[in-house]
Structure formats: C-alpha cells, structure tokens
Amino acid sequence: MQTIKVAIAGFGSVGRATANLLLSRRGRYSQVYGADVRLVAVCGSRSGLRDENGLEADRLDNLEDALTGPDFIAASGADILIEAGPSDFRTGGPGLAYISSSLSTGRDTIVISKGALVHSGRQLRELARLSGAMLKLSGAAAAALPTIDLVHHSLKGCEVLEVEGILNATTNYLLDAMTTRGIGFDVALREAQQGGFAEADPRNDTEGWDTACKLLILANFGLGANLTMDDLNVQGIQSVTTELIEAWRREGHVPKLVGSLTHLNDTFRAEVGIRTYPLSDPFANIRGKDKAIRITTDAMGETIAIGAGKEPLATAAAALKDLEHILTARASSPLAE
Ligand SMILES: NC(=O)c1ccc[n+]([C@@H]2O[C@H](COP(=O)([O-])OP(=O)(O)OC[C@H]3O[C@@H](n4cnc5c(N)ncnc54)[C@H](OP(=O)(O)O)[C@@H]3O)[C@@H](O)[C@H]2O)c1
C-alpha cells in the first residue's frame, strides 16, 4: 500500500472541515486507491501540529505555537498540500507563499482560497509545469458547483463558446429575497449576516469581486485564457433598489448577478454584472444560496449545472474530490509502488 502524506495550511472552518472529512474517508482511500492517506501537518497563522505517522481528529484542537509557514509544511514531508487560508486577490494573500513553495518542490497542491490563483495564476501554472506537480482548484472555483471539472472532463474536446454563471451564493440569496419577498437590500443583507453567510464587510460579494475571481479562475485554469482582473468590467448588486426589482418583476424578469464569458477566435471577454431572465429560463429559478453555470460548446450545445451544499462541508468535499483525482493519477503513474 502506498503512503500518501497530506498537509493542510489554513485551519479555519474550511481547513478543519477538510481535515475531518479526510480522516473519515481514510478507509475509502485505502479500499479504492490502495493508498494509506495520512494527515501529517496542519497549521493556522500562528500555530500548527505535525506528526509523520498521521494526526487523528482528537489531536486537532491542540495546536502548538509557532508551528506554521511554508517551511513548516515542507519539513512535514507532505506529498500533497491542501491550502485553505484567507483569500486576497489584490496581494495573493498568505496562500501565495504556501502554494509557490509547494509547487516549486513538486508537491501536488489543492487550492481552496482564490487570491493567489487570481493574483499569480500564470506564475503558479508555470511552477506546476516545471516541477510536474498537479495543481487542483475545485474548492476555489465555486466548490460544490462543478465548473472546472465540467470543462476538463464532461465537455472534454469541445470548444467552449460561452459561459454564464451564478457563482456567488450570498448575492443570489439577496436578489432572491428582494425579488420573492419584496424586502430591501439592507434588510436582506442583515438577514444574510445574521444567518452567518454574509461577511460583516460584504463588499467582496456584493460588489461582484468574488464572482469575478471565480470566473477568472475558470477562464484561466479551465479554458486556457490569460485574463487579469483589469480585463474584467465588474459590477455588483449594491445599488439594486426595490423600485428596480419591481420594474423587472412587472416585465416578468428575474435579476441575477452573473459572471459571463465569451470565447471567439482565441479572444476571451469576461464581465460581471446583473442580467435579467424570463421565468422560463432555468437561471430565473436558481433560488436562495444555490449557484448555477451554463456552458455553451461547439459540439455539445448547452450544459447547465446547478449546485448547492452546506458549508463548509461542501467546500471540503470539493477539495477532497481533487484529492481523489490526484490519487487516481498517482495510482496509474508508472512510478506508483
Ligand atoms: N467558508 C466557506 O464556506 C468557503 C467556501 C468556499 C471557499 N472558501 C475559501 O476558503 C478559505 C478559508 O475559508 P474559512 O471560512 O475557513 O476562513 P477562516 O475560518 O477565516 O480560516 C482561515 C484560516 O487561515 C489561517 N491563516 C491566516 N493566515 C495564515 C498564514 N499566514 N499561514 C497559515 N494559515 C493562515 C487562519 O489562521 P488563524 O486561525 O491563526 O487566524 C485560519 O485558520 C478562504 O479563502 C475562503 O474564501 C470558504
């Protein structure tokens, strides 16, 4: 049986959910892939834990001070890094150092935070290419909603002509609440904050940046584009009024915050903004915190996926789907023991 050592950098709600789900699935990894998957290191910003024999769930509440950073992860001997730190697309965030260090030393890397992928995507892809490390990012590209996997697997070989995505749960919740219950933006936002799924500072969601990050990651890592945030026109939902919603409703239209992309003659154009849909369109019926993507290809026409999952479990599961892709690739590699 092959031993596969996994480390997790960023140990908040998603990092912890990922650790617990991974530990609960060890039997599956051993049965399906013949792999003894061990969690050998975890760390937050100030503390961590390491054991090359594998950490169990009951030890994960007792992190030790000063055990953190890319060198700490490297010293754990991990074969695979799962990065789940905070996201900052303007600087790359702390994830950038972890991911760069991991890829440059050939460690397969699963990224959940979006910041480094948006800020330095091209450099990270190049590091992976040079070292031969696998770079996976389902957790960063709308998580429970399959996006990258759709183009890499289900639509393989087709040319993607157009993408439309409702990619942010919070803004869909807000617009849906305003449309179906007639409440104002501020009331809907307070409700979402009290429900724990809108941040105290919601601008990353409401101004469209989170949608833009996911769209950019899908474009660059899924479709081979080379877009930066400067290439995107990004508009949010912060100025949607009840009057506007009422006017759309009278026309039989439902507003959604949509990331859209067109691909023509090797040119990609992407933007984020409000689009309205007639009730007959599946996008008009994406409710609450659900997300959706519509991909139009040259040969398979239109494909729609709709997804929702309870967080942070759904994001952890998306990252561990990537882990299984890596285990599959490793099991079929000629170097597999
Ligand atoms: N929550 C969700 O439902 C969801 C869904 C999809 C994607 N995501 C993405 O997943 C990532 C994690 O989200 P979360 O909700 O788990 O956030 P969180 O609870 O705030 O956790 C972030 C973690 O990152 C750690 N961290 C900060 N700086 C670090 C550094 N320099 N080195 C190592 N660790 C560092 C923090 O450490 P301390 O505890 O020491 O501060 C904390 O453990 C974010 O990028 C988010 O965008 C989240």
Side-chain angles (χ1 to χ4, degrees), residues 2-36:
Q2 208 185 2
T3 300
I4 305 280
K5 298 179 183 173
V6 177
I8 300 178
F11 209 52
S13 62
V14 172
R16 281 180 183 275
T18 305
N20 287 321
L21 191 60
L22 179 144
L23 292 173
S24 74
R25 288 181 174 176
R26 288 189 65 207
R28 168 179 168 78
Y29 301 143
S30 121
Q31 267 175 13
V32 178
Y33 304 100
D36 173 15

Short mmCIF file of all heavy atoms in Angstrom, two decimals, residues 2-36:
data_model
loop_
_atom_site.label_atom_id
_atom_site.label_comp_id
_atom_site.label_asym_id
_atom_site.label_seq_id
_atom_site.Cartn_x
_atom_site.Cartn_y
_atom_site.Cartn_z
N GLN A 2 0.51 2.20 -0.86
CA GLN A 2 1.28 3.44 -0.97
C GLN A 2 0.88 4.40 0.17
O GLN A 2 -0.31 4.58 0.43
CB GLN A 2 0.91 4.08 -2.30
CG GLN A 2 2.00 4.92 -2.90
CD GLN A 2 1.51 5.63 -4.16
OE1 GLN A 2 0.35 5.50 -4.56
NE2 GLN A 2 2.39 6.38 -4.77
N THR A 3 1.87 5.00 0.85
CA THR A 3 1.54 6.01 1.86
C THR A 3 1.53 7.38 1.21
O THR A 3 2.48 7.75 0.51
CB THR A 3 2.59 6.00 3.00
OG1 THR A 3 2.59 4.71 3.59
CG2 THR A 3 2.27 7.05 4.05
N ILE A 4 0.44 8.11 1.39
CA ILE A 4 0.33 9.47 0.84
C ILE A 4 0.15 10.42 2.02
O ILE A 4 -0.82 10.32 2.77
CB ILE A 4 -0.90 9.61 -0.10
CG1 ILE A 4 -0.87 8.55 -1.21
CG2 ILE A 4 -1.01 11.02 -0.65
CD1 ILE A 4 0.01 8.84 -2.37
N LYS A 5 1.11 11.36 2.16
CA LYS A 5 1.05 12.29 3.29
C LYS A 5 0.44 13.62 2.85
O LYS A 5 0.88 14.18 1.84
CB LYS A 5 2.46 12.52 3.83
CG LYS A 5 3.11 11.25 4.37
CD LYS A 5 4.49 11.57 4.85
CE LYS A 5 5.20 10.30 5.31
NZ LYS A 5 6.61 10.56 5.65
N VAL A 6 -0.53 14.08 3.62
CA VAL A 6 -1.25 15.32 3.27
C VAL A 6 -1.04 16.35 4.38
O VAL A 6 -1.09 16.01 5.57
CB VAL A 6 -2.76 15.03 3.11
CG1 VAL A 6 -3.53 16.32 2.82
CG2 VAL A 6 -3.01 14.00 2.02
N ALA A 7 -0.82 17.61 3.97
CA ALA A 7 -0.75 18.72 4.94
C ALA A 7 -1.83 19.73 4.59
O ALA A 7 -2.20 19.87 3.42
CB ALA A 7 0.63 19.38 4.88
N ILE A 8 -2.33 20.43 5.60
CA ILE A 8 -3.34 21.47 5.38
C ILE A 8 -2.82 22.78 5.95
O ILE A 8 -2.51 22.87 7.14
CB ILE A 8 -4.68 21.11 6.04
CG1 ILE A 8 -5.23 19.80 5.46
CG2 ILE A 8 -5.69 22.24 5.85
CD1 ILE A 8 -6.55 19.33 6.09
N ALA A 9 -2.71 23.81 5.11
CA ALA A 9 -2.31 25.16 5.56
C ALA A 9 -3.55 26.03 5.52
O ALA A 9 -4.20 26.15 4.48
CB ALA A 9 -1.23 25.71 4.65
N GLY A 10 -3.85 26.69 6.66
CA GLY A 10 -5.09 27.43 6.79
C GLY A 10 -6.07 26.52 7.49
O GLY A 10 -6.57 25.55 6.90
N PHE A 11 -6.25 26.77 8.80
CA PHE A 11 -7.00 25.79 9.59
C PHE A 11 -8.17 26.47 10.29
O PHE A 11 -8.33 26.40 11.50
CB PHE A 11 -6.04 25.11 10.57
CG PHE A 11 -6.46 23.71 10.91
CD1 PHE A 11 -6.73 22.80 9.91
CD2 PHE A 11 -6.59 23.31 12.23
CE1 PHE A 11 -7.14 21.50 10.21
CE2 PHE A 11 -6.98 22.02 12.55
CZ PHE A 11 -7.26 21.12 11.54
N GLY A 12 -9.00 27.13 9.48
CA GLY A 12 -10.24 27.73 9.99
C GLY A 12 -11.38 26.78 9.72
O GLY A 12 -11.20 25.55 9.73
N SER A 13 -12.56 27.33 9.39
CA SER A 13 -13.72 26.44 9.26
C SER A 13 -13.54 25.46 8.10
O SER A 13 -13.86 24.27 8.23
CB SER A 13 -15.01 27.25 9.13
OG SER A 13 -14.96 28.02 7.97
N VAL A 14 -13.02 25.92 6.96
CA VAL A 14 -12.88 25.02 5.81
C VAL A 14 -11.72 24.03 6.02
O VAL A 14 -11.85 22.83 5.75
CB VAL A 14 -12.68 25.83 4.51
CG1 VAL A 14 -12.34 24.91 3.35
CG2 VAL A 14 -13.94 26.63 4.19
N GLY A 15 -10.59 24.53 6.54
CA GLY A 15 -9.44 23.65 6.78
C GLY A 15 -9.81 22.53 7.74
O GLY A 15 -9.49 21.35 7.53
N ARG A 16 -10.51 22.87 8.81
CA ARG A 16 -10.92 21.86 9.80
C ARG A 16 -11.93 20.87 9.21
O ARG A 16 -11.84 19.66 9.44
CB ARG A 16 -11.51 22.53 11.05
CG ARG A 16 -10.47 23.08 11.96
CD ARG A 16 -11.04 23.75 13.19
NE ARG A 16 -9.92 24.31 13.96
CZ ARG A 16 -9.20 23.64 14.84
NH1 ARG A 16 -9.49 22.38 15.10
NH2 ARG A 16 -8.18 24.21 15.46
N ALA A 17 -12.89 21.40 8.45
CA ALA A 17 -13.89 20.51 7.82
C ALA A 17 -13.18 19.55 6.86
O ALA A 17 -13.53 18.36 6.78
CB ALA A 17 -14.95 21.32 7.08
N THR A 18 -12.17 20.05 6.18
CA THR A 18 -11.43 19.20 5.22
C THR A 18 -10.66 18.12 5.98
O THR A 18 -10.64 16.95 5.57
CB THR A 18 -10.47 20.08 4.39
OG1 THR A 18 -11.22 21.12 3.78
CG2 THR A 18 -9.77 19.27 3.31
N ALA A 19 -10.02 18.51 7.08
CA ALA A 19 -9.27 17.52 7.87
C ALA A 19 -10.20 16.42 8.37
O ALA A 19 -9.90 15.22 8.24
CB ALA A 19 -8.60 18.23 9.06
N ASN A 20 -11.34 16.81 8.92
CA ASN A 20 -12.24 15.80 9.50
C ASN A 20 -12.83 14.89 8.42
O ASN A 20 -12.94 13.68 8.62
CB ASN A 20 -13.36 16.50 10.29
CG ASN A 20 -12.81 17.05 11.60
OD1 ASN A 20 -11.98 16.42 12.25
ND2 ASN A 20 -13.23 18.25 11.97
N LEU A 21 -13.17 15.48 7.27
CA LEU A 21 -13.73 14.66 6.19
C LEU A 21 -12.66 13.70 5.65
O LEU A 21 -12.93 12.53 5.40
CB LEU A 21 -14.25 15.57 5.08
CG LEU A 21 -15.10 14.91 4.01
CD1 LEU A 21 -16.35 14.25 4.59
CD2 LEU A 21 -15.54 15.94 2.94
N LEU A 22 -11.45 14.22 5.53
CA LEU A 22 -10.35 13.36 5.04
C LEU A 22 -10.13 12.18 5.99
O LEU A 22 -10.03 11.02 5.56
CB LEU A 22 -9.07 14.19 4.89
CG LEU A 22 -7.81 13.46 4.43
CD1 LEU A 22 -6.98 14.36 3.52
CD2 LEU A 22 -6.95 12.99 5.59
N LEU A 23 -10.10 12.47 7.28
CA LEU A 23 -9.87 11.38 8.25
C LEU A 23 -11.01 10.36 8.20
O LEU A 23 -10.78 9.16 8.31
CB LEU A 23 -9.71 11.96 9.66
CG LEU A 23 -8.43 12.79 9.86
CD1 LEU A 23 -8.43 13.47 11.23
CD2 LEU A 23 -7.17 11.93 9.71
N SER A 24 -12.23 10.85 7.99
CA SER A 24 -13.38 9.92 7.96
C SER A 24 -13.39 9.08 6.68
O SER A 24 -14.08 8.07 6.62
CB SER A 24 -14.70 10.69 8.09
OG SER A 24 -14.99 11.35 6.88
N ARG A 25 -12.63 9.51 5.66
CA ARG A 25 -12.65 8.78 4.38
C ARG A 25 -11.38 7.93 4.18
O ARG A 25 -11.15 7.42 3.08
CB ARG A 25 -12.77 9.77 3.21
CG ARG A 25 -14.15 10.40 3.11
CD ARG A 25 -14.23 11.36 1.93
NE ARG A 25 -15.58 11.86 1.72
CZ ARG A 25 -15.90 12.77 0.80
NH1 ARG A 25 -14.97 13.28 0.01
NH2 ARG A 25 -17.14 13.17 0.66
N ARG A 26 -10.59 7.78 5.21
CA ARG A 26 -9.32 7.03 5.02
C ARG A 26 -9.56 5.59 4.56
O ARG A 26 -8.81 5.06 3.74
CB ARG A 26 -8.49 7.05 6.31
CG ARG A 26 -7.89 8.43 6.59
CD ARG A 26 -6.92 8.38 7.73
NE ARG A 26 -5.77 7.56 7.38
CZ ARG A 26 -5.02 6.90 8.25
NH1 ARG A 26 -5.31 6.94 9.54
NH2 ARG A 26 -4.00 6.19 7.86
N GLY A 27 -10.63 4.99 5.09
CA GLY A 27 -10.95 3.61 4.69
C GLY A 27 -11.24 3.54 3.19
O GLY A 27 -10.81 2.62 2.49
N ARG A 28 -11.97 4.54 2.70
CA ARG A 28 -12.30 4.59 1.26
C ARG A 28 -11.02 4.71 0.43
O ARG A 28 -10.85 4.04 -0.58
CB ARG A 28 -13.23 5.78 1.02
CG ARG A 28 -13.41 6.13 -0.44
CD ARG A 28 -14.35 7.31 -0.66
NE ARG A 28 -14.24 7.76 -2.04
CZ ARG A 28 -14.82 7.15 -3.08
NH1 ARG A 28 -15.57 6.09 -2.87
NH2 ARG A 28 -14.67 7.60 -4.30
N TYR A 29 -10.11 5.59 0.88
CA TYR A 29 -8.88 5.80 0.09
C TYR A 29 -8.07 4.50 0.01
O TYR A 29 -7.47 4.18 -1.01
CB TYR A 29 -8.02 6.92 0.68
CG TYR A 29 -8.73 8.25 0.76
CD1 TYR A 29 -8.55 9.12 1.83
CD2 TYR A 29 -9.61 8.63 -0.25
CE1 TYR A 29 -9.22 10.33 1.89
CE2 TYR A 29 -10.29 9.84 -0.20
CZ TYR A 29 -10.09 10.68 0.88
OH TYR A 29 -10.76 11.87 0.93
N SER A 30 -8.08 3.78 1.12
CA SER A 30 -7.30 2.55 1.12
C SER A 30 -7.97 1.48 0.24
O SER A 30 -7.32 0.82 -0.56
CB SER A 30 -7.07 2.13 2.57
OG SER A 30 -7.57 0.91 2.83
N GLN A 31 -9.31 1.39 0.31
CA GLN A 31 -10.03 0.39 -0.50
C GLN A 31 -9.99 0.71 -1.99
O GLN A 31 -9.73 -0.16 -2.82
CB GLN A 31 -11.50 0.38 -0.09
CG GLN A 31 -11.81 -0.65 0.97
CD GLN A 31 -13.25 -0.52 1.42
OE1 GLN A 31 -14.08 0.14 0.80
NE2 GLN A 31 -13.56 -1.17 2.51
N VAL A 32 -10.27 1.98 -2.32
CA VAL A 32 -10.44 2.32 -3.74
C VAL A 32 -9.10 2.56 -4.44
O VAL A 32 -8.92 2.18 -5.59
CB VAL A 32 -11.34 3.58 -3.88
CG1 VAL A 32 -11.49 4.00 -5.34
CG2 VAL A 32 -12.70 3.32 -3.26
N TYR A 33 -8.15 3.19 -3.72
CA TYR A 33 -6.90 3.60 -4.38
C TYR A 33 -5.68 2.85 -3.86
O TYR A 33 -4.56 3.10 -4.32
CB TYR A 33 -6.67 5.11 -4.20
CG TYR A 33 -7.83 5.93 -4.69
CD1 TYR A 33 -8.79 6.43 -3.79
CD2 TYR A 33 -8.01 6.17 -6.04
CE1 TYR A 33 -9.88 7.16 -4.25
CE2 TYR A 33 -9.10 6.90 -6.50
CZ TYR A 33 -10.03 7.39 -5.60
OH TYR A 33 -11.11 8.10 -6.05
N GLY A 34 -5.87 1.99 -2.88
CA GLY A 34 -4.73 1.29 -2.29
C GLY A 34 -3.77 2.28 -1.66
O GLY A 34 -2.55 2.09 -1.69
N ALA A 35 -4.31 3.36 -1.08
CA ALA A 35 -3.45 4.41 -0.51
C ALA A 35 -3.72 4.58 0.98
O ALA A 35 -4.87 4.69 1.41
CB ALA A 35 -3.71 5.73 -1.23
N ASP A 36 -2.64 4.57 1.75
CA ASP A 36 -2.73 4.89 3.17
C ASP A 36 -2.55 6.41 3.29
O ASP A 36 -1.44 6.92 3.31
CB ASP A 36 -1.62 4.14 3.92
CG ASP A 36 -1.52 4.55 5.37
OD1 ASP A 36 -2.48 5.18 5.88
OD2 ASP A 36 -0.49 4.26 6.01
#
